Each structure stands twice: as structure tokens, then as C-alpha cells.
Amino acid sequence: MMGTWKTFTPRQKAVTEKAFEALSTLDALTERGEAGGEKPRQIGFSDLFAYVGGPERAMDGELRRALDRDARLRVALDRLLDKVSLYHIPRLAAASSGLVESREGEGFRIRLRPSRSVASQTYVIIELSDPLAEPPKTMFLRAPSNRYGKYPLPAAQDGIIQILADTDSELVKFLGEVDTEVFLS
Amino acid sequence: MTAVRVYIATTQGPSEIQRIAVEDPEVRSVVCLNGTSEALPISAAYDAFVRKPTGVIEKRFGHSVFRLDVSERVSEGKSWHLGMFAAHALSAAGRLAEKQSGAGQAIWLSGEVDHHLNVLPVEHVTEKLFQSRRLFSDLKAAGIQMTVVLPRANLAELDLRLLNKQGLCTEALAIVGVDTADEVCRHLGLADPSLPPALAKAVSMISPASVPPKWMLVGVALALGVVLSLAAIWWSGFGDWAGMAEAGRYRRLAAALGEAESGECFSCAISARAFRLYADFLRPRDGDLDLKLIERRAPASKSCTLVGIGRAEAVAVEIEPPRSGLWRSRAAAELCAVAYRLTNSGGAPVHIWLAAVPVGHERLLSRNPNASAHRRVPPGDAITVEIKLPQWLRPPLTNRVTAVIARRSSEDVTAWLSSAGRGNGADWPDLRRSLERAGLTVLSVVHEITP
């Protein structure tokens, strides 16, 4: 099936959600079968789906370790993020280097603006080209060395979403790196 | 004058305003918790309370973006308006007691403030007062006078006997009812915030003890008349437009000026005229901008192909802009490329958008889709765009060379110029009018290249 989440019709979305549910049930059944053993719980598609789709679900140690060791899981997560994201900025071109203060994707722009009043803090400003477009609610970052970050977004005001963060936080550091991929969903 | 500590009344207890700091106009105003990077959910509402046209803080105190820190969470609702307004008024007067600095006085407020600075009643006042009992007794013990400020309508509903019976010692509090936010300022001994800051300062310096001679009174009256006229011009839009120009919001500026000039408001039209004079004064002078055409031709007996592969060096010829506004070049004599260079010969840096737009020959120039540039150009520096010409030019080629010069960088100008698509240039006169209406300097020359 081609296309992305935002291009799906309501019917396509409903079918996709049912498919996710089926896969999640399968994951749960598999997990139950292994519950008695010593082996660590297997991270499956349902965990990835919960991470991407659940606003409260953060990246826990178990999921992080599973992503570190399993390249296929990372590919599955990347694909899922790509499918559900409303906006996406791929990694910057190889010719770019060092830190960036501004990133642009189709339909939006992200800027980093140091606070004037508190030197250790930085504003992250997401500007949507179409203020009437559906605003994203979560930002996912995929930094180099397979690190992922998930950040809930406040409501947009006139197409602008603003977050204040510590300058040495992962969020600001990741966004400042040219290799970081950005997904807004 | 004593510093005043400001508390916002909430049903969870009082929240102290710890600090107000000016922020970058590029960001939105934000309310943070206790100096951390945690932005409270009321930040969006606070931004709207600050920023014009909805907000009142920018209108009164002249800046559009602030960061405000509070000691405790302040939830949704609008009763924080009055406390934040008072804190801004005190901060503008240098009298807000910030976190860990001493205060000689404290003020506790609850009230909604509308666009005209009327104070509207709020709910849960009794509950908020009870939640602040500890603060009131602590301040009393420290010998700090506490003033409670409420909307007058709420004051009328307060049952002081009941409050006292339940342990809130209202005798120790000065309780004030207000109808407008300005009344709070007067209560705090602040200059009338409805006047522009410079005039408010001047008024506050007039001492009632000094009795000047008559001629001086007339002089002061005349001077005040001039200042009031200037203030009227300022408040009729000039201040807003200057702010828009400073922030590079030229689209809004053009629309606002157009509205002021065509509307029925006489003082707005005068203010718009004054702003045009001001904008003209800031424009680069004649001779500050030097636009040149540079023809790059292949040397004698060589071809542009050889120039293109680096086997021959092009000869550059600089040509001044013609009085007629029309450059003419012949491509037959191995014209390889044309460049347009604009030099800033003035004394101040400017932002220049320079573009060479083909008129009616889009396909011919498909090799050079980006014959445009924009950057800050310091004095003595230049910005150049170049177009490589097709090897076999058959139909004549016409470029419209346009330069827009501004004191500030502006995405509005970029968007404006992008909106002027290629084609027959029919939209250019309208676009030029819009740019000039926004106080921008526009240069435009047509360049015809014939085979």
C-alpha cells in the first residue's frame, strides 16, 4: 500500500488500525508463550506502535536496548514514523556540516532561537506554512547512532508551535545536528 | 520608591511573579515555572494578552515579547490578567520586586482585564483569599504591607465578617476595588501608563512645590502641546508601523498604512503621512546605490564554448544604467553571460534582494532558474546575480532587473518577490506599488538582449 497516513481516507485509516490491532494481538500471543522462560520479553510491532501512537508512551530502556541491537526493528520504526508523520525532514545533505539553527521541510520550518533572558535555554519554533493545516502533536527525532527522541508538542498558535528547552537538552542537541531526522505526527 | 512584590491569586494558593524579562521579538511570550524551561499552558493566552492587536501589554509598555517567571503554577482562566498587568507596570517603572530581592510592599491581585483595560469580575475570590492566609500572616510578621486588589464588583460581594470569623485577618490587609487597570497603577504611585513612556516620565518629574513664572508656563504648555501632538501621531499608528518596519513585517505595514490613508480617521492619515516622511528620511540617498550591468564576452577569435570550459577568459565590460531605464546588448558578438551588480556605496548596511527575471522567455533561461540573491550588504560591498546566455540566441531576450532595498531582513519581501512569477511581467507594477507603499526602496531596469 502506497501513501502516508495523512493521505489516507477515513476508511483506509480504519482498516490500517484494524491491521495494527491484529499485529498487536499476535505480538501479545507470542509474548505470552515465552512468559515462563528466562528470555527477555521480545519487543514487537505492538511496542513500536504504542511508542509512536501513544502520547504517554516514552522510550523506555527495554525498547531502547531492543532498537540498539535489532536493525530490522529500527527499519520498522523508521517506516512506521514515515507513514504516520504529517511532516518530515530527512537528514540534511552530506555537504552540510556542523550545527544548524534552522531546518526546513515540506510545509514547515523548525528554528532554534537562544533565549535572550536565560542564556542556558533555547526556543524551538515550529512554523507551519499553512496555519489551517492539521497541527502535529508529537515530534520524533532520529539522531545519528540510532538514538530516538519523542517530544509532545503544545497546541499551535496561528501555525506556530513553540517549545522552551534547556540548551544542553537532547532535544536542542539533536535538532542542531545535521544528521538528525525529524518526524512530526 | 519601594519595590513591590506581586502575587497572582489562584485557588491553589498565591503565585509570586518572580521576574519579567524582555525576549527576542522572533519568539512568543512565555510564562515559565520558577526559572526553569517549563512553559506553563497559559503561555499562549499570555502571549495574546501581551501582543498587539489583541494584547494590552505591548500597547502600553512598547515591547511585544516577554518571558515571565512565576513561583507556582497558574492554571487556565483570565483572573491572572490584573496581576500580570500590575507586574508589567511595576517592571516598566523599575519597581517590581524580583525573586530574592527585597520588597517594601506586596500586592495580591485577581481580575480579568479587557482590551480597554476595564477590570472584569472573577470567580472563587473567597477561596483564593483563604488559600493565601499563610502568605498574609507571613508578610504581616515581616512588617510588609499587603494590598489586595479586586474588581469592584467582587469587592461588593465580599463578606469580611465571615472571612474574619474563619481566621483571615482582613484588618491587616488593605483591600481595594478597581474598575480599571489604570486605577491599580495610580494606587501604586506609577505614572499614568496611558501616556507614552517619555511623556509619562516628564509628567512624573513635575513637582507641585515648584511654581514657575508665567512665560515658563506658556513655554511648558507649548512644549506639552508639541509633545501631545507627537504622542497623538505616535498612538495613531506611527508606533505600530515603526515596530512593523523594525521587525521586517512589511506586508502588514503596507496593509496598515493603506488602511490608515484610506480610512476616515484624520489623525491616522496624518500619522501615516508622518510615517512616510520618516521612511523617506531612512531611505538610501541618491548615489548610495550603484547598479551596473556587466557583459561577459568571449575574447577576440574565441567562443563562449571555450570560455565555458575554461580555455579562454571572458572579458568583462561594466555598463552604467541608462537614463531611459532600458539597457540594450547585442548577443551576436559572443556575449557569454550578463551579470547585474548592485553596490552599497552608503554608510550603513542594507538588505538587498536582487533578481533578474526573464520576461516572457522562461524556457530560454531554464539553465539559470535562480538568478536572484538576497543578503545583508555592508557599506562598500556588492551583491551580484549572473545569467549565462544560451549559445544560440534566436529570439530577443528581455530581463527585468529588480532590486529591493530594506534596512531589515524580511521574509515578507522574499515572499512578495517569489509571488511575482515569470511571464509577461503584468503583475510587476502592482508588486512595485506594494513594496514602495511599505517604505521599501525599489530599483528596476529592463535589459533587452538582441541576437
Side-chain angles (χ1 to χ4, degrees), chain B residues 165-235:
Chain B
K165 204 184 277 183
Q166 295 190 359
L168 190 76
C169 186
T170 56
E171 290 84 12
L173 305 172
I175 303 181
V176 179
V178 293
D179 292 316
T180 67
D182 288 345
E183 282 180 55
V184 180
C185 296
R186 282 195 284 278
H187 180 81
L188 291 167
L190 299 171
D192 187 348
S194 62
L195 297 175
L199 190 57
K201 195 174 176 187
V203 169
S204 70
M205 286 166 70
I206 295 172
S207 161
S210 57
V211 184
K214 254 185 185 174
W215 62 268
M216 196 181 278
L217 283 175
V218 173
V220 168
L222 282 173
L224 266 179
V226 171
V227 171
L228 284 172
S229 304
L230 290 174
I233 287 174
W234 181 266
W235 287 122

Side-chain angles (χ1 to χ4, degrees), chain A residues 12 24 30 46-47 53 67 71 73 99 113 129 140 146 174:
Chain A
Q12 283 173 315
S24 303
T30 315
S46 61
D47 296 277
L67 285 165
L73 202 60
L99 298 176
R113 202 87 188 176
S129 307
F140 293 93
N146 307 325
F174 282 2

Side-chain angles (χ1 to χ4, degrees), chain B residues 105-337:
Chain B
Q105 205 181 331
I107 185 166
W108 180 104
L109 309 97
S110 186
E112 182 182 342
V113 178
D114 74 7
H115 190 63
H116 304 289
L117 296 185
N118 297 310
V119 176
L120 310 177
V122 293
E123 293 182 329
H124 311 298
V125 169
T126 305
E127 194 181 345
K128 289 172 185 171
L129 282 165
F130 276 123
Q131 290 295 341
S132 296
R133 270 178 297 184
R134 174 119 188 232
L135 170 73
F136 296 155
S137 60
D138 286 352
L139 288 174
K140 187 183 170 193
I144 295 172
Q145 169 69 50
M146 168 58 92
T147 304
V148 168
V149 180
L150 295 170
R152 200 176 299 282
N154 284 117
L155 185 64
E157 293 165 3
L158 267 191
D159 185 345
L160 294 181
R161 269 179 39 198
L162 176 72
L163 291 174
N164 283 321
K165 204 184 277 183
Q166 295 190 359
L168 190 76
C169 186
T170 56
E171 290 84 12
L173 305 172
I175 303 181
V176 179
V178 293
D179 292 316
T180 67
D182 288 345
E183 282 180 55
V184 180
C185 296
R186 282 195 284 278
H187 180 81
L188 291 167
L190 299 171
D192 187 348
S194 62
L195 297 175
L199 190 57
K201 195 174 176 187
V203 169
S204 70
M205 286 166 70
I206 295 172
S207 161
S210 57
V211 184
K214 254 185 185 174
W215 62 268
M216 196 181 278
L217 283 175
V218 173
V220 168
L222 282 173
L224 266 179
V226 171
V227 171
L228 284 172
S229 304
L230 290 174
I233 287 174
W234 181 266
W235 287 122
S236 297
F238 194 108
D240 296 351
W241 303 328
M244 288 176 201
E246 200 62 23
R249 294 180 195 152
Y250 292 111
R251 277 189 165 184
R252 274 181 65 188
L253 175 60
L257 283 170
E259 205 173 293
E261 283 166 339
S262 60
E264 289 176 0
C265 166
F266 178 70
S267 63
C268 302
I270 298 285
S271 189
R273 180 74 193 134
F275 185 80
R276 294 243 178 261
L277 292 171
Y278 166 74
D280 285 345
F281 175 73
L282 294 178
R283 272 181 212 276
R285 303 274 165 269
D286 287 346
D288 282 357
L289 298 165
D290 182 16
L291 180 65
K292 281 201 170 71
L293 160 67
I294 301 161
E295 290 183 344
R296 298 196 199 285
R297 292 184 183 275
S301 73
K302 305 284 184 192
S303 67
C304 288
T305 308
L306 289 175
V307 171
I309 60 172
R311 300 295 301 271
E313 199 166 326
V315 178
V317 180
E318 291 189 6
I319 302 167
E320 297 284 340
R323 283 191 182 168
S324 62
L326 178 69
W327 268 313
R328 284 202 170 93
S329 296
R330 289 294 307 277
E334 288 297 340
L335 181 62
C336 309

Side-chain angles (χ1 to χ4, degrees), chain A residues 51-124:
Chain A
Y51 172 65
V52 172
E56 303 299 324
R57 174 76 188 265
M59 171 76 74
D60 57 25
E62 200 176 25
L63 181 57
R64 190 186 301 273
R65 282 191 294 278
L67 285 165
D68 277 344
R69 64 173 177 260
D70 189 345
R72 281 194 311 177
L73 202 60
R74 291 196 297 273
V75 170
L77 178 54
D78 291 345
R79 192 170 292 169
L80 184 57
L81 286 172
D82 192 43
K83 288 289 177 191
V84 302
S85 63
L86 297 166
Y87 302 92
H88 177 214
I89 300 181
R91 294 175 186 198
L92 291 188
S96 309
S97 61
L99 298 176
V100 288
E101 290 177 351
S102 174
R103 311 276 302 262
E104 268 185 63
E106 195 182 329
F108 79 113
R109 182 165 77 135
I110 298 181
R111 287 187 296 138
L112 297 176
R113 202 87 188 176
S115 166
R116 265 193 203 173
S117 59
V118 181
S120 61
Q121 294 174 3
T122 296
Y123 290 93
V124 177

Side-chain angles (χ1 to χ4, degrees), chain A residues 137-157:
Chain A
K137 294 181 179 65
T138 311
M139 174 159 61
F140 293 93
L141 301 180
R142 190 203 202 283
S145 65
N146 307 325
R147 285 177 301 160
Y148 291 85
K150 177 181 176 181
Y151 307 91
L153 299 175
Q157 268 182 282

